[in-house]
Amino acid sequence: MRDDTKLTPMIHTPAGREQTEIFLLQLKGPRIGSRVFLPEGETIVGRSGSCTVVLDVESISRRHCSLLVSGDEVRILDLGSTNGTWLNGRRLQAKEPTSIEVGDRLEVGEVVYKLLREGDVEAAYLEELRRLAITDALTGAYNRRYLIELLEKEVVRCIRHERPLSLLLFDIDHFKSINDTYGHLAGDRILEELAARIRTSFLRKADVFARFGGEEFAIVLTEADAERAGAAAERLRNVVARDPFVVDGTKVDVTISIGVGTLDEEVAGAQALLALADENLYRAKREGRNRVGL
């Protein structure tokens, strides 16, 4: 089983199951644009950690529905879910398997999928539209809108399951001076190189990296408490500062200031987490820049 997402839905891959080219493309839900490939055999969808595809969404039952793939045939079975499983706008009867075809629309609670086959023009088109909608064109990082949507969902998930979550908010020190000295095109090249350096030398698979605006960026650190987030922020600062950036043959020293925010009893929402990280970012800048604010 293969899944394109970095966070939820969680996928468990039973050994010995043959990969197919058929997949579900999420059109609405916590990971819009993600793909869940369906192997031969049965795939269980639900909130329970024992399901093959785990969707942590309140409207989805613990064991919501199953999809059975046999060759080119795909059948879907509602497992007695509370809110029902819907195929092309029709609610399916529980415990009665129904054939589902490529191009069909599947609703599992509030999450909406479309069944597609890898290589289809429609699949590629929908995925490219989604990629353009959620990423920053210059840096390839996620955009601000996507970050806030994801952060709101992650905060709810982590509070419910009592899991740690931290946020790093950072910007380039004296970026206006860089633009004034070297020009705006050079500034753009530095933003691109910053994003590339972070992706190759810092990010874990589960981290979410976004351009928050201008020269300001954010990283959502899953499973990171305050201590781990502080250590990660210091590593990030070093990743940027240790080597000069090269723009048109000119070496430019670049540093960043970082603010750290972590969920706790007093910081229990996405906006509160953003506000804390922002406050700590400005503390780092007031204290001299090129440092971490905690």
Side-chain angles (χ1 to χ4, degrees), residues 5-288:
T5 66
K6 292 183 178 180
L7 301 174
T8 53
M10 186 182 300
I11 306 297
H12 303 300
T13 306
R17 293 177 64 180
E18 182 181 348
Q19 175 70 53
T20 72
E21 295 181 343
I22 298 171
F23 64 92
L24 295 172
L25 177 68
Q26 193 175 117
L27 303 180
K28 177 184 176 184
R31 302 297 291 168
I32 297 175
S34 65
R35 300 188 297 177
V36 177
F37 281 81
L38 302 176
E40 286 282 330
E42 188 177 37
T43 297
I44 307 292
V45 180
R47 282 203 342 267
S48 171
S50 65
C51 293
T52 324
V53 178
V54 181
L55 289 169
D56 192 13
V57 178
E58 285 291 342
S59 60
I60 293 176
S61 299
R62 290 185 58 79
R63 287 172 56 86
H64 197 103
C65 66
S66 71
L67 293 111
L68 183 64
V69 177
S70 177
D72 289 332
E73 182 183 13
V74 183
R75 290 181 296 160
I76 185 166
L77 178 69
D78 182 84
L79 299 176
S81 65
T82 301
N83 294 312
T85 303
W86 300 70
L87 181 62
N88 298 326
R90 176 175 63 89
R91 183 166 183 166
L92 302 179
Q93 295 295 318
K95 308 296 183 181
E96 293 185 10
T98 303
S99 293
I100 177 171
E101 304 290 338
V102 169
D104 284 349
R105 179 185 176 98
L106 174 64
E107 297 177 49
V108 183
E110 297 175 5
V111 179
V112 179
Y113 287 107
K114 192 164 191 175
L115 187 70
L116 295 168
R117 187 181 302 277
E118 192 169 36
D120 286 353
V121 172
E122 182 182 14
Y125 174 71
L126 290 172
E127 289 181 84
E128 179 63 11
L129 283 181
R130 177 56 183 167
R131 186 191 68 78
L132 292 172
I134 65 176
T135 58
D136 171 61
L138 178 66
T139 64
Y142 288 115
N143 59 27
R144 180 189 183 113
R145 178 181 177 183
Y146 178 83
L147 171 76
I148 292 174
E149 289 177 354
L150 178 135
L151 191 61
E152 288 174 346
K153 293 179 175 67
E154 279 300 292
V155 165
V156 170
R157 182 185 69 84
C158 290
I159 290 174
R160 179 187 302 142
H161 298 291
E162 299 182 344
R163 304 306 303 166
L165 182 71
S166 292
L167 175 70
L168 306 184
L169 196 62
F170 58 97
D171 65 15
I172 297 175
D173 296 327
H174 304 297
F175 188 66
K176 183 178 184 301
S177 295
I178 292 175
N179 278 332
D180 290 344
T181 302
Y182 300 101
H184 288 276
L185 288 179
D188 285 350
R189 299 293 78 76
I190 286 173
L191 292 174
E192 289 179 306
E193 174 60 26
L194 173 72
R197 192 177 292 192
I198 289 171
R199 274 193 291 268
T200 58
S201 302
F202 177 79
L203 290 182
R204 304 171 302 166
K205 184 177 180 181
D207 297 336
V208 176
F209 173 45
R211 186 179 181 186
F212 202 61
E215 73 275 19
E216 192 170 17
F217 294 84
I219 298 176
V220 180
L221 299 176
T222 58
E223 300 297 321
D225 58 18
E227 182 178 357
R228 291 183 62 186
E234 187 59 33
R235 289 198 308 274
L236 174 61
R237 188 192 65 78
N238 283 320
V239 162
V240 176
R242 68 189 178 199
D243 297 310
F245 287 57
V246 179
V247 179
D248 295 331
T250 301
K251 292 184 178 181
V252 181
D253 290 322
V254 176
T255 62
I256 59 174
S257 298
I258 308 172
V260 180
T262 302
L263 282 183
D264 57 27
E265 292 181 357
E266 295 182 359
V267 181
Q271 291 304 317
L273 185 59
L274 277 166
L276 177 60
D278 189 58
E279 177 185 338
N280 287 333
L281 168 59
Y282 279 91
R283 176 180 293 112
K285 294 167 78 170
R286 287 195 304 269
E287 293 177 355

